[in-house]
Amino acid sequence: MSAPQSNKIPVQQVDLDATKHRVHPRFVTGFYQNIRVITMYALLAAFLLLPWLRYNGRQAIWLDVPSQHYYIFGMTFLTQDFYFIAAFAIIAAFTLFMVTVYAGRVWCGYACPQTIWTHLFQYVEKWVIGDRNKRIKFDKEPMSATKVFKRFLIYFIWFVFSMITATTFVSYVSGTDALYNSWQMIGFIPFPDWATWIWVSIFIFAFSTYVNAGYMREQMCIQICPYGRFQSVMFDKDTLVVSYDYERGEPRGARKKGTNPENLGDCIECQMCVQVCPTGIDIRDGLQVACIQCAACVDACNEIMDKVGYPRGLIRYTTERQLAEKEKSRVFRPRFFAYLILLTILCGGVLYALNDRVPLEIDIRRDRNQLSSLNQQGMIENSYIVKLTNKTQDAHTYKITLAPQEGLSLEIRFKDVPLDAGESFDMPVSIYGDPDVIEFGQTPVTLNVSSEDGKYHVSKQNVFTTQGQ
Ligand code: SF4
Ligand code: SF4
Protein backbone atom coordinates (compact mmCIF):
# COMPACT_ATOMS: atom_id res chain seq x y z
CA MET A 1 0.00 0.00 0.00
CA SER A 2 1.29 3.42 -0.67
CA ALA A 3 0.00 5.09 2.45
CA PRO A 4 2.68 7.46 3.69
CA GLN A 5 3.26 5.45 6.84
CA SER A 6 3.33 2.03 5.18
CA ASN A 7 7.08 1.72 5.80
CA LYS A 8 6.52 1.87 9.55
CA ILE A 9 6.57 -1.86 9.96
CA PRO A 10 7.08 -2.53 13.67
CA VAL A 11 10.34 -4.19 14.62
CA GLN A 12 9.35 -7.73 15.49
CA GLN A 13 10.66 -9.18 18.70
CA VAL A 14 12.28 -12.57 18.40
CA ASP A 15 10.52 -13.95 21.42
CA LEU A 16 8.29 -16.94 21.06
CA ASP A 17 6.55 -16.47 24.40
CA ALA A 18 3.60 -14.19 23.71
CA THR A 19 2.78 -14.01 27.43
CA LYS A 20 5.61 -11.46 27.97
CA HIS A 21 3.75 -8.93 25.85
CA ARG A 22 0.38 -10.64 25.93
CA VAL A 23 -2.25 -9.33 23.55
CA HIS A 24 -5.71 -9.17 25.08
CA PRO A 25 -7.98 -8.50 22.12
CA ARG A 26 -11.42 -7.04 22.65
CA PHE A 27 -14.01 -9.41 21.20
CA VAL A 28 -15.90 -7.65 18.44
CA THR A 29 -18.99 -8.47 16.42
CA GLY A 30 -19.84 -7.44 12.91
CA PHE A 31 -20.22 -8.67 9.36
CA TYR A 32 -16.73 -10.12 8.92
CA GLN A 33 -16.53 -11.47 12.46
CA ASN A 34 -19.80 -13.34 11.94
CA ILE A 35 -18.42 -14.95 8.78
CA ARG A 36 -15.18 -15.66 10.57
CA VAL A 37 -16.73 -17.25 13.65
CA ILE A 38 -19.11 -19.39 11.56
CA THR A 39 -16.24 -20.54 9.32
CA MET A 40 -13.93 -21.26 12.24
CA TYR A 41 -16.46 -23.26 14.25
CA ALA A 42 -17.68 -25.13 11.16
CA LEU A 43 -14.08 -26.20 10.44
CA LEU A 44 -13.52 -27.08 14.09
CA ALA A 45 -16.70 -29.19 14.12
CA ALA A 46 -15.63 -30.93 10.90
CA PHE A 47 -12.24 -31.75 12.41
CA LEU A 48 -13.81 -33.17 15.58
CA LEU A 49 -16.63 -35.10 13.91
CA LEU A 50 -15.05 -36.51 10.75
CA PRO A 51 -13.25 -39.42 12.51
CA TRP A 52 -16.67 -40.60 13.75
CA LEU A 53 -18.16 -40.77 10.31
CA ARG A 54 -18.62 -44.30 8.96
CA TYR A 55 -18.69 -45.41 5.34
CA ASN A 56 -19.57 -49.01 4.50
CA GLY A 57 -19.10 -49.91 8.17
CA ARG A 58 -15.55 -48.50 8.33
CA GLN A 59 -14.14 -45.19 9.55
CA ALA A 60 -14.68 -42.93 6.51
CA ILE A 61 -11.29 -41.19 6.82
CA TRP A 62 -8.69 -43.46 8.33
CA LEU A 63 -5.01 -42.98 7.53
CA ASP A 64 -3.82 -46.28 8.93
CA VAL A 65 -0.08 -45.58 8.79
CA PRO A 66 1.02 -48.69 10.77
CA SER A 67 -0.55 -51.03 8.16
CA GLN A 68 0.07 -48.54 5.30
CA HIS A 69 -3.57 -48.54 4.21
CA TYR A 70 -5.34 -45.21 3.79
CA TYR A 71 -9.14 -45.30 3.63
CA ILE A 72 -10.98 -42.26 2.28
CA PHE A 73 -14.72 -42.57 1.71
CA GLY A 74 -14.73 -46.04 0.21
CA MET A 75 -11.37 -45.77 -1.54
CA THR A 76 -8.32 -47.61 -0.25
CA PHE A 77 -4.89 -46.21 -0.98
CA LEU A 78 -1.63 -47.99 -0.33
CA THR A 79 1.85 -46.57 0.07
CA GLN A 80 2.47 -47.14 -3.66
CA ASP A 81 -0.48 -44.78 -4.34
CA PHE A 82 1.50 -42.01 -2.71
CA TYR A 83 1.38 -39.98 -5.92
CA PHE A 84 -2.31 -39.32 -5.15
CA ILE A 85 -1.40 -37.82 -1.78
CA ALA A 86 1.34 -35.78 -3.47
CA ALA A 87 -1.20 -34.61 -6.09
CA PHE A 88 -3.70 -33.61 -3.37
CA ALA A 89 -0.97 -31.65 -1.57
CA ILE A 90 0.02 -29.86 -4.80
CA ILE A 91 -3.65 -29.02 -5.53
CA ALA A 92 -4.08 -27.68 -1.96
CA ALA A 93 -0.92 -25.56 -2.33
CA PHE A 94 -1.99 -24.07 -5.68
CA THR A 95 -5.51 -23.41 -4.38
CA LEU A 96 -3.93 -21.49 -1.51
CA PHE A 97 -1.71 -19.55 -3.94
CA MET A 98 -4.70 -18.68 -6.13
CA VAL A 99 -6.82 -17.56 -3.18
CA THR A 100 -3.89 -15.51 -1.87
CA VAL A 101 -3.43 -13.71 -5.20
CA TYR A 102 -7.09 -12.71 -5.13
CA ALA A 103 -8.01 -12.40 -1.44
CA GLY A 104 -4.70 -12.07 0.40
CA ARG A 105 -4.27 -13.90 3.69
CA VAL A 106 -7.86 -15.00 3.94
CA TRP A 107 -6.63 -18.45 4.97
CA CYS A 108 -4.77 -16.97 7.97
CA GLY A 109 -7.71 -14.94 9.22
CA TYR A 110 -10.54 -17.37 8.68
CA ALA A 111 -9.34 -20.96 8.44
CA CYS A 112 -5.82 -21.49 9.81
CA PRO A 113 -5.79 -23.91 12.79
CA GLN A 114 -3.41 -21.57 14.64
CA THR A 115 -6.00 -18.74 14.37
CA ILE A 116 -8.91 -21.02 15.33
CA TRP A 117 -7.27 -22.52 18.40
CA THR A 118 -5.85 -19.17 19.53
CA HIS A 119 -9.33 -17.66 19.25
CA LEU A 120 -10.72 -20.59 21.26
CA PHE A 121 -8.08 -20.26 24.00
CA GLN A 122 -8.59 -16.48 24.17
CA TYR A 123 -12.32 -17.06 24.43
CA VAL A 124 -11.69 -19.25 27.49
CA GLU A 125 -9.80 -16.34 29.11
CA LYS A 126 -12.69 -14.03 28.28
CA TRP A 127 -15.19 -16.51 29.73
CA VAL A 128 -13.26 -16.97 33.00
CA ILE A 129 -11.95 -13.41 33.53
CA GLY A 130 -13.95 -11.08 31.33
CA ASP A 131 -13.32 -8.86 28.29
CA ARG A 132 -10.14 -6.99 27.44
CA ASN A 133 -9.98 -4.43 30.26
CA LYS A 134 -10.69 -7.01 32.94
CA ARG A 135 -8.01 -9.32 31.51
CA ILE A 136 -5.40 -6.54 31.44
CA LYS A 137 -6.30 -5.60 35.03
CA PHE A 138 -6.24 -9.25 36.07
CA ASP A 139 -2.68 -9.65 34.74
CA LYS A 140 -1.52 -6.72 36.90
CA GLU A 141 -3.29 -7.83 40.07
CA PRO A 142 -1.16 -9.30 42.89
CA MET A 143 -1.44 -13.02 43.49
CA SER A 144 -4.55 -14.03 45.40
CA ALA A 145 -6.65 -17.15 45.91
CA THR A 146 -9.13 -15.94 43.26
CA LYS A 147 -6.34 -15.27 40.78
CA VAL A 148 -4.81 -18.71 41.38
CA PHE A 149 -8.22 -20.37 41.00
CA LYS A 150 -9.06 -18.52 37.76
CA ARG A 151 -5.63 -19.21 36.30
CA PHE A 152 -5.91 -22.87 37.24
CA LEU A 153 -9.39 -23.05 35.66
CA ILE A 154 -8.08 -21.51 32.42
CA TYR A 155 -5.10 -23.88 32.30
CA PHE A 156 -7.33 -26.84 33.04
CA ILE A 157 -9.79 -25.98 30.22
CA TRP A 158 -6.85 -25.39 27.86
CA PHE A 159 -5.50 -28.81 28.87
CA VAL A 160 -8.88 -30.47 28.15
CA PHE A 161 -9.08 -28.74 24.74
CA SER A 162 -5.50 -29.80 23.97
CA MET A 163 -6.24 -33.41 24.87
CA ILE A 164 -9.42 -33.45 22.77
CA THR A 165 -7.44 -31.96 19.87
CA ALA A 166 -4.61 -34.48 20.24
CA THR A 167 -6.85 -37.57 20.56
CA THR A 168 -8.95 -36.43 17.60
CA PHE A 169 -5.84 -35.88 15.52
CA VAL A 170 -4.41 -39.27 16.43
CA SER A 171 -7.76 -41.00 15.80
CA TYR A 172 -7.38 -40.19 12.09
CA VAL A 173 -4.34 -42.49 12.15
CA SER A 174 -5.03 -45.05 14.87
CA GLY A 175 -8.77 -45.33 14.18
CA THR A 176 -11.41 -44.36 16.74
CA ASP A 177 -11.99 -48.00 17.72
CA ALA A 178 -8.37 -48.60 18.71
CA LEU A 179 -8.25 -45.28 20.53
CA TYR A 180 -11.48 -45.18 22.46
CA ASN A 181 -12.28 -48.88 22.96
CA SER A 182 -8.91 -50.02 24.31
CA TRP A 183 -8.97 -50.15 28.07
CA GLN A 184 -7.15 -52.08 30.75
CA MET A 185 -7.74 -52.18 34.50
CA ILE A 186 -4.98 -50.89 36.75
CA GLY A 187 -6.31 -52.00 40.11
CA PHE A 188 -9.91 -50.79 39.97
CA ILE A 189 -9.17 -47.92 37.61
CA PRO A 190 -9.76 -48.25 33.85
CA PHE A 191 -6.76 -46.95 31.91
CA PRO A 192 -6.18 -46.57 28.14
CA ASP A 193 -4.42 -49.59 26.69
CA TRP A 194 -2.60 -47.82 23.87
CA ALA A 195 0.50 -48.64 21.86
CA THR A 196 3.57 -46.57 22.71
CA TRP A 197 3.36 -44.56 19.47
CA ILE A 198 -0.19 -43.47 20.36
CA TRP A 199 0.92 -42.22 23.80
CA VAL A 200 3.88 -40.37 22.28
CA SER A 201 1.76 -38.82 19.48
CA ILE A 202 -0.95 -37.67 21.88
CA PHE A 203 1.64 -36.12 24.16
CA ILE A 204 3.32 -34.28 21.25
CA PHE A 205 0.05 -32.98 19.77
CA ALA A 206 -1.45 -31.99 23.14
CA PHE A 207 1.76 -30.20 24.13
CA SER A 208 1.98 -28.40 20.75
CA THR A 209 -1.66 -27.29 20.93
CA TYR A 210 -1.29 -26.02 24.49
CA VAL A 211 1.92 -24.11 23.80
CA ASN A 212 0.90 -22.74 20.38
CA ALA A 213 -2.58 -21.54 21.30
CA GLY A 214 -1.88 -20.70 24.93
CA TYR A 215 1.55 -19.05 24.75
CA MET A 216 3.07 -18.57 21.31
CA ARG A 217 -0.11 -17.30 19.64
CA GLU A 218 0.65 -14.45 17.21
CA GLN A 219 4.40 -15.08 17.55
CA MET A 220 3.84 -18.29 15.61
CA CYS A 221 2.43 -16.26 12.69
CA ILE A 222 5.09 -13.55 12.92
CA GLN A 223 8.24 -15.56 13.62
CA ILE A 224 7.72 -19.11 12.40
CA CYS A 225 4.97 -19.55 9.81
CA PRO A 226 6.59 -19.61 6.34
CA TYR A 227 3.30 -18.74 4.61
CA GLY A 228 3.12 -15.44 6.51
CA ARG A 229 6.61 -14.66 5.24
CA PHE A 230 6.27 -15.50 1.56
CA GLN A 231 2.68 -14.36 1.04
CA SER A 232 3.89 -10.83 0.31
CA VAL A 233 5.65 -12.22 -2.78
CA MET A 234 2.26 -13.39 -4.09
CA PHE A 235 0.53 -10.06 -3.49
CA ASP A 236 0.07 -7.64 -6.35
CA LYS A 237 -1.71 -4.30 -6.75
CA ASP A 238 -5.07 -6.07 -7.14
CA THR A 239 -4.88 -8.33 -4.08
CA LEU A 240 -7.55 -7.66 -1.48
CA VAL A 241 -6.00 -6.54 1.80
CA VAL A 242 -7.37 -4.95 4.95
CA SER A 243 -6.19 -1.33 4.75
CA TYR A 244 -6.60 1.96 6.52
CA ASP A 245 -7.66 4.81 4.26
CA TYR A 246 -4.85 7.14 5.20
CA GLU A 247 -6.05 10.06 3.08
CA ARG A 248 -9.49 9.96 4.62
CA GLY A 249 -8.43 9.27 8.19
CA GLU A 250 -5.52 11.69 8.69
CA PRO A 251 -4.80 13.82 10.53
CA ARG A 252 -6.35 11.69 13.20
CA GLY A 253 -7.57 13.14 16.47
CA ALA A 254 -10.22 13.09 19.17
CA ARG A 255 -13.14 15.46 18.83
CA LYS A 256 -16.37 16.37 20.55
CA LYS A 257 -19.33 14.15 19.74
CA GLY A 258 -21.37 15.39 16.78
CA THR A 259 -18.60 17.68 15.46
CA ASN A 260 -16.50 17.26 12.35
CA PRO A 261 -13.52 19.67 12.63
CA GLU A 262 -12.10 20.66 9.25
CA ASN A 263 -8.50 20.25 10.35
CA LEU A 264 -9.04 16.57 11.24
CA GLY A 265 -9.60 13.45 9.18
CA ASP A 266 -12.20 10.81 9.96
CA CYS A 267 -10.06 8.81 12.41
CA ILE A 268 -11.20 9.83 15.87
CA GLU A 269 -8.21 8.10 17.50
CA CYS A 270 -10.43 5.82 19.58
CA GLN A 271 -7.88 2.96 19.37
CA MET A 272 -10.68 0.45 18.89
CA CYS A 273 -8.97 -1.04 15.79
CA VAL A 274 -5.87 -1.72 17.90
CA GLN A 275 -7.82 -3.12 20.85
CA VAL A 276 -9.63 -5.76 18.76
CA CYS A 277 -6.54 -6.88 16.83
CA PRO A 278 -5.63 -10.47 17.79
CA THR A 279 -1.98 -9.80 16.93
CA GLY A 280 -1.87 -6.45 18.72
CA ILE A 281 -0.85 -4.28 15.77
CA ASP A 282 -2.10 -0.94 14.49
CA ILE A 283 -3.40 -1.28 10.92
CA ARG A 284 -2.92 2.47 10.52
CA ASP A 285 0.84 1.81 10.36
CA GLY A 286 0.32 0.10 6.99
CA LEU A 287 0.49 -3.47 5.74
CA GLN A 288 2.44 -5.63 8.18
CA VAL A 289 3.59 -9.22 8.27
CA ALA A 290 1.76 -9.67 11.59
CA CYS A 291 -1.60 -8.78 10.05
CA ILE A 292 -3.53 -12.02 9.54
CA GLN A 293 -6.30 -10.16 7.64
CA CYS A 294 -8.99 -11.19 10.10
CA ALA A 295 -10.94 -7.93 9.53
CA ALA A 296 -11.71 -7.49 13.25
CA CYS A 297 -10.47 -3.90 12.87
CA VAL A 298 -12.83 -3.38 9.91
CA ASP A 299 -15.85 -4.33 12.01
CA ALA A 300 -14.66 -2.33 15.01
CA CYS A 301 -14.01 0.81 12.97
CA ASN A 302 -17.31 0.48 11.09
CA GLU A 303 -19.10 0.37 14.44
CA ILE A 304 -17.31 3.56 15.50
CA MET A 305 -18.09 5.26 12.18
CA ASP A 306 -21.77 4.39 12.69
CA LYS A 307 -21.66 5.89 16.16
CA VAL A 308 -20.07 9.17 15.08
CA GLY A 309 -22.16 9.38 11.92
CA TYR A 310 -19.33 9.07 9.36
CA PRO A 311 -19.44 6.75 6.35
CA ARG A 312 -18.22 3.20 6.94
CA GLY A 313 -15.04 1.88 5.36
CA LEU A 314 -12.25 3.96 6.92
CA ILE A 315 -10.63 0.56 7.39
CA ARG A 316 -11.79 -1.84 4.70
CA TYR A 317 -10.93 -4.63 2.34
CA THR A 318 -9.45 -2.94 -0.68
CA THR A 319 -6.56 -3.15 -3.11
CA GLU A 320 -3.52 -1.00 -3.63
CA ARG A 321 -4.81 -0.06 -7.09
CA GLN A 322 -8.10 1.19 -5.62
CA LEU A 323 -6.72 2.89 -2.55
CA ALA A 324 -3.51 4.47 -3.80
CA GLU A 325 -4.01 4.77 -7.55
CA LYS A 326 -7.77 5.42 -7.46
CA GLU A 327 -8.32 2.93 -10.24
CA LYS A 328 -10.67 0.00 -10.57
CA SER A 329 -9.19 -3.28 -9.43
CA ARG A 330 -8.81 -6.12 -11.89
CA VAL A 331 -10.18 -9.38 -10.54
CA PHE A 332 -9.30 -11.50 -13.56
CA ARG A 333 -5.65 -11.02 -14.29
CA PRO A 334 -3.00 -13.23 -15.95
CA ARG A 335 -1.65 -14.69 -12.68
CA PHE A 336 -5.13 -15.63 -11.53
CA PHE A 337 -5.82 -17.39 -14.85
CA ALA A 338 -2.45 -19.15 -14.75
CA TYR A 339 -3.31 -20.68 -11.36
CA LEU A 340 -6.84 -21.48 -12.52
CA ILE A 341 -5.63 -23.31 -15.65
CA LEU A 342 -2.99 -25.20 -13.67
CA LEU A 343 -5.55 -26.20 -11.02
CA THR A 344 -8.06 -27.31 -13.64
CA ILE A 345 -5.43 -29.52 -15.29
CA LEU A 346 -4.31 -30.97 -11.93
CA CYS A 347 -7.87 -31.63 -10.67
CA GLY A 348 -8.86 -33.11 -14.04
CA GLY A 349 -5.82 -35.41 -13.97
CA VAL A 350 -6.51 -36.59 -10.42
CA LEU A 351 -10.23 -37.17 -11.13
CA TYR A 352 -9.36 -39.12 -14.28
CA ALA A 353 -6.78 -41.21 -12.39
CA LEU A 354 -9.26 -41.88 -9.56
CA ASN A 355 -11.97 -42.88 -11.99
CA ASP A 356 -9.60 -45.09 -13.96
CA ARG A 357 -8.20 -46.74 -10.88
CA VAL A 358 -9.00 -50.44 -10.35
CA PRO A 359 -9.23 -51.19 -6.61
CA LEU A 360 -7.26 -54.38 -7.04
CA GLU A 361 -3.51 -54.61 -7.19
CA ILE A 362 -1.24 -57.34 -8.46
CA ASP A 363 2.49 -57.48 -8.07
CA ILE A 364 4.62 -60.32 -9.45
CA ARG A 365 8.05 -61.13 -8.06
CA ARG A 366 10.26 -63.87 -9.44
CA ASP A 367 11.82 -66.49 -7.22
CA ARG A 368 15.29 -65.00 -6.76
CA ASN A 369 17.01 -68.29 -5.92
CA GLN A 370 16.56 -69.95 -9.28
CA LEU A 371 15.54 -68.51 -12.61
CA SER A 372 14.11 -71.83 -13.83
CA SER A 373 14.33 -75.58 -13.19
CA LEU A 374 13.42 -78.87 -14.86
CA ASN A 375 10.83 -81.02 -13.10
CA GLN A 376 10.51 -84.81 -13.21
CA GLN A 377 8.20 -84.67 -16.21
CA GLY A 378 10.82 -82.74 -18.14
CA MET A 379 8.92 -79.45 -18.03
CA ILE A 380 10.68 -76.15 -17.39
CA GLU A 381 9.39 -74.53 -14.21
CA ASN A 382 9.49 -70.81 -13.28
CA SER A 383 8.37 -69.82 -9.77
CA TYR A 384 6.86 -66.48 -8.78
CA ILE A 385 5.25 -64.80 -5.79
CA VAL A 386 2.03 -63.05 -6.79
CA LYS A 387 0.97 -60.39 -4.31
CA LEU A 388 -2.74 -59.57 -4.46
CA THR A 389 -4.23 -56.57 -2.65
CA ASN A 390 -7.95 -56.01 -2.34
CA LYS A 391 -8.28 -52.20 -2.30
CA THR A 392 -12.07 -52.24 -2.13
CA GLN A 393 -14.17 -51.78 1.00
CA ASP A 394 -15.66 -55.32 0.73
CA ALA A 395 -14.43 -58.90 0.88
CA HIS A 396 -13.92 -60.51 -2.54
CA THR A 397 -12.68 -63.82 -3.89
CA TYR A 398 -10.21 -63.60 -6.73
CA LYS A 399 -9.06 -66.03 -9.40
CA ILE A 400 -5.62 -65.98 -10.98
CA THR A 401 -5.29 -67.26 -14.52
CA LEU A 402 -2.57 -67.32 -17.17
CA ALA A 403 -3.32 -65.66 -20.49
CA PRO A 404 -3.51 -68.62 -22.96
CA GLN A 405 -0.19 -69.29 -24.64
CA GLU A 406 0.88 -72.46 -26.41
CA GLY A 407 3.25 -74.64 -24.38
CA LEU A 408 2.70 -72.79 -21.09
CA SER A 409 0.52 -73.80 -18.14
CA LEU A 410 -0.10 -72.41 -14.65
CA GLU A 411 0.03 -74.32 -11.39
CA ILE A 412 -1.42 -72.60 -8.41
CA ARG A 413 -1.84 -73.70 -4.80
CA PHE A 414 -5.35 -72.22 -4.30
CA LYS A 415 -7.97 -71.95 -7.00
CA ASP A 416 -9.73 -69.10 -5.24
CA VAL A 417 -8.13 -66.38 -3.12
CA PRO A 418 -10.60 -64.85 -0.64
CA LEU A 419 -9.44 -61.45 0.61
CA ASP A 420 -11.02 -59.14 3.14
CA ALA A 421 -11.32 -55.42 2.44
CA GLY A 422 -7.84 -53.92 2.30
CA GLU A 423 -6.15 -57.33 2.74
CA SER A 424 -3.01 -58.45 0.87
CA PHE A 425 -1.84 -61.99 0.22
CA ASP A 426 1.38 -63.45 -1.20
CA MET A 427 0.58 -66.44 -3.39
CA PRO A 428 3.35 -68.75 -4.71
CA VAL A 429 2.62 -69.79 -8.30
CA SER A 430 4.54 -71.79 -10.90
CA ILE A 431 4.42 -71.60 -14.67
CA TYR A 432 5.45 -74.71 -16.61
CA GLY A 433 6.82 -74.56 -20.13
CA ASP A 434 7.02 -77.44 -22.63
CA PRO A 435 10.63 -77.34 -23.90
CA ASP A 436 9.50 -78.80 -27.26
CA VAL A 437 7.09 -75.92 -27.85
CA ILE A 438 8.43 -72.74 -26.29
CA GLU A 439 11.38 -70.86 -27.67
CA PHE A 440 14.72 -70.74 -25.90
CA GLY A 441 15.27 -67.50 -23.95
CA GLN A 442 12.63 -65.24 -22.47
CA THR A 443 8.92 -65.37 -23.27
CA PRO A 444 6.53 -62.68 -22.03
CA VAL A 445 3.69 -64.08 -19.89
CA THR A 446 0.56 -62.35 -18.59
CA LEU A 447 -1.27 -63.17 -15.37
CA ASN A 448 -4.89 -62.11 -15.06
CA VAL A 449 -6.76 -61.60 -11.79
CA SER A 450 -10.55 -61.26 -11.65
CA SER A 451 -13.00 -60.90 -8.81
CA GLU A 452 -15.71 -63.56 -8.53
CA ASP A 453 -18.40 -61.09 -9.62
CA GLY A 454 -16.34 -60.05 -12.65
CA LYS A 455 -16.38 -56.45 -11.46
CA TYR A 456 -12.64 -56.04 -11.07
CA HIS A 457 -9.97 -57.25 -13.40
CA VAL A 458 -6.24 -56.54 -13.61
CA SER A 459 -3.39 -58.00 -15.60
CA LYS A 460 0.33 -57.91 -15.16
CA GLN A 461 3.17 -59.05 -17.35
CA ASN A 462 6.34 -60.85 -16.43
CA VAL A 463 8.70 -63.19 -18.27
CA PHE A 464 9.11 -66.93 -18.48
CA THR A 465 12.70 -67.94 -18.97
CA THR A 466 14.35 -71.14 -20.08
CA GLN A 467 17.71 -70.00 -18.72
CA GLY A 468 19.35 -70.91 -15.42
CA GLN A 469 18.57 -74.66 -15.27
S1 SF4 B 1 -11.18 2.35 14.98
FE1 SF4 B 1 -11.27 3.71 13.23
S2 SF4 B 1 -11.58 5.70 14.18
FE2 SF4 B 1 -10.91 4.39 15.82
S3 SF4 B 1 -8.68 4.66 15.86
FE3 SF4 B 1 -9.08 2.94 14.53
S4 SF4 B 1 -9.17 3.86 12.49
FE4 SF4 B 1 -9.40 5.53 13.93
S1 SF4 C 1 -4.73 -5.36 11.69
FE1 SF4 C 1 -6.92 -5.79 11.48
S2 SF4 C 1 -7.02 -7.42 9.95
FE2 SF4 C 1 -4.90 -7.29 10.62
S3 SF4 C 1 -4.77 -8.83 12.25
FE3 SF4 C 1 -5.23 -6.87 13.25
S4 SF4 C 1 -7.44 -6.83 13.38
FE4 SF4 C 1 -6.95 -8.44 11.94
Side-chain angles (χ1 to χ4, degrees):
M1 290 280 114
S2 59
Q5 292 190 356
S6 62
N7 57 347
K8 281 195 184 172
I9 296 174
V11 177
Q12 310 295 352
Q13 300 173 48
V14 184
D15 185 350
L16 297 181
D17 184 359
T19 55
K20 291 190 185 147
H21 35 86
R22 189 180 277 283
V23 177
H24 285 299
R26 185 186 289 277
F27 279 70
V28 64
T29 52
F31 178 74
Y32 293 110
Q33 292 321 292
N34 291 343
I35 297 177
R36 191 165 167 250
V37 167
I38 290 169
T39 311
M40 289 200 305
Y41 285 107
L43 289 172
L44 188 61
F47 167 72
L48 294 172
L49 296 177
L50 272 177
W52 298 100
L53 202 65
R54 294 293 181 267
Y55 191 92
N56 281 352
R58 189 198 293 272
Q59 189 169 323
I61 301 177
W62 182 13
L63 311 174
D64 189 0
V65 176
S67 75
Q68 299 182 355
H69 284 64
Y70 311 99
Y71 307 99
I72 298 173
F73 289 101
M75 292 180 285
T76 305
F77 297 92
L78 305 179
T79 309
Q80 50 267 48
D81 297 320
F82 194 78
Y83 56 92
F84 274 111
I85 298 166
F88 286 135
I90 292 169
I91 287 173
F94 276 102
T95 307
L96 189 63
F97 295 160
M98 194 178 80
V99 170
T100 306
V101 166
Y102 176 67
R105 289 177 73 176
V106 71
W107 161 262
C108 300
Y110 293 77
C112 174
Q114 177 69 19
T115 306
I116 296 174
W117 264 261
T118 299
H119 178 86
L120 203 62
F121 276 42
Q122 283 174 335
Y123 195 83
V124 172
E125 289 183 299
K126 177 183 181 251
W127 181 71
V128 175
I129 304 168
D131 210 347
R132 178 184 152 85
N133 291 344
K134 284 191 181 159
R135 300 205 299 279
I136 292 172
K137 195 167 153 236
F138 181 84
D139 274 0
K140 291 178 185 158
E141 278 172 9
M143 200 52 77
S144 66
T146 315
K147 186 164 180 168
V148 170
F149 172 74
K150 285 189 175 177
R151 275 263 156 256
F152 175 79
L153 186 59
I154 289 169
Y155 295 153
F156 177 73
I157 299 172
W158 285 1
F159 171 75
V160 172
F161 283 176
S162 302
M163 285 305 289
I164 292 172
T165 306
T167 47
T168 303
F169 204 90
V170 171
S171 70
Y172 281 93
V173 177
S174 68
T176 50
D177 290 345
L179 198 64
Y180 301 113
N181 296 337
S182 304
W183 295 93
Q184 59 181 328
M185 297 304 284
I186 296 186
F188 295 106
I189 303 167
F191 203 70
D193 186 17
W194 293 333
T196 311
W197 73 266
I198 294 184
W199 280 111
V200 172
S201 307
I202 286 182
F203 173 77
I204 291 171
F205 285 116
F207 180 77
S208 309
T209 307
Y210 195 95
V211 170
N212 279 346
Y215 295 96
M216 286 171 67
R217 296 191 172 173
E218 72 280 357
Q219 296 303 314
M220 184 74 180
C221 314
I222 299 168
Q223 311 289 354
I224 296 177
C225 177
Y227 176 61
R229 295 263 155 202
F230 74 73
Q231 44 85 27
S232 56
V233 181
M234 288 184 270
F235 280 18
D236 58 27
K237 285 181 176 183
D238 295 294
T239 303
L240 273 180
V241 280
V242 171
S243 307
Y244 169 67
D245 190 337
Y246 190 85
E247 272 181 36
R248 189 186 138 189
E250 301 297 316
R252 62 187 82 161
R255 67 212 65 188
K256 277 193 188 146
K257 208 176 170 190
T259 62
N260 192 357
E262 273 184 13
N263 60 332
L264 290 178
D266 281 358
C267 175
I268 65 167
E269 188 67 305
C270 64
Q271 293 287 319
M272 206 52 84
C273 51
V274 181
Q275 291 183 19
V276 297
C277 179
T279 62
I281 59 168
D282 189 341
I283 190 67
R284 296 171 299 172
D285 289 343
L287 186 62
Q288 297 154 66
V289 75
C291 176
I292 58 168
Q293 303 280 310
C294 69
C297 54
V298 177
D299 283 330
C301 190
N302 280 342
E303 203 180 315
I304 297 296
M305 293 294 106
D306 289 347
K307 279 185 187 154
V308 295
Y310 296 168
R312 286 178 156 218
L314 178 58
I315 301 175
R316 61 182 183 271
Y317 271 112
T318 186
T319 65
E320 183 176 350
R321 196 181 295 280
Q322 268 179 349
L323 191 65
E325 299 177 7
K326 309 284 183 246
E327 285 175 16
K328 211 166 174 280
S329 283
R330 289 180 299 148
V331 177
F332 302 112
R333 43 204 193 271
R335 201 137 62 118
F336 183 80
F337 279 115
Y339 283 129
L340 198 65
I341 291 167
L342 203 64
L343 267 177
T344 311
I345 293 170
L346 277 170
C347 291
V350 168
L351 284 176
Y352 177 78
L354 280 174
N355 191 42
D356 203 43
R357 181 175 172 266
V358 179
L360 167 62
E361 186 149 311
I362 174 174
D363 184 43
I364 306 172
R365 300 192 310 271
R366 293 188 62 86
D367 184 342
R368 297 225 176 119
N369 296 327
Q370 196 170 18
L371 282 176
S372 69
S373 60
L374 261 186
N375 71 3
Q376 286 174 345
Q377 287 77 36
M379 301 286 273
I380 302 167
E381 179 183 357
N382 278 205
S383 300
Y384 309 82
I385 300 290
V386 176
K387 181 176 185 167
L388 286 185
T389 305
N390 173 10
K391 290 160 122 185
T392 71
Q393 295 283 296
D394 308 301
H396 284 286
T397 300
Y398 299 98
K399 270 191 197 321
I400 304 175
T401 53
L402 178 69
Q405 209 162 331
E406 203 187 348
L408 290 177
S409 60
L410 177 74
E411 189 179 293
I412 195 160
R413 194 176 296 174
F414 306 111
K415 251 172 109 185
D416 297 322
V417 188
L419 290 181
D420 280 337
E423 195 186 355
S424 298
F425 185 71
D426 283 349
M427 164 82 88
V429 302
S430 295
I431 297 178
Y432 291 98
D434 186 341
D436 297 332
V437 179
I438 57 163
E439 287 177 13
F440 183 79
Q442 294 197 333
T443 308
V445 288
T446 304
L447 286 177
N448 300 317
V449 182
S450 308
S451 59
E452 81 285 21
D453 54 7
K455 224 167 146 186
Y456 305 115
H457 178 90
V458 285
S459 300
K460 187 119 187 186
Q461 273 208 339
N462 208 290
V463 289
F464 180 88
T465 182
T466 58
Q467 295 161 336
Q469 298 153 45

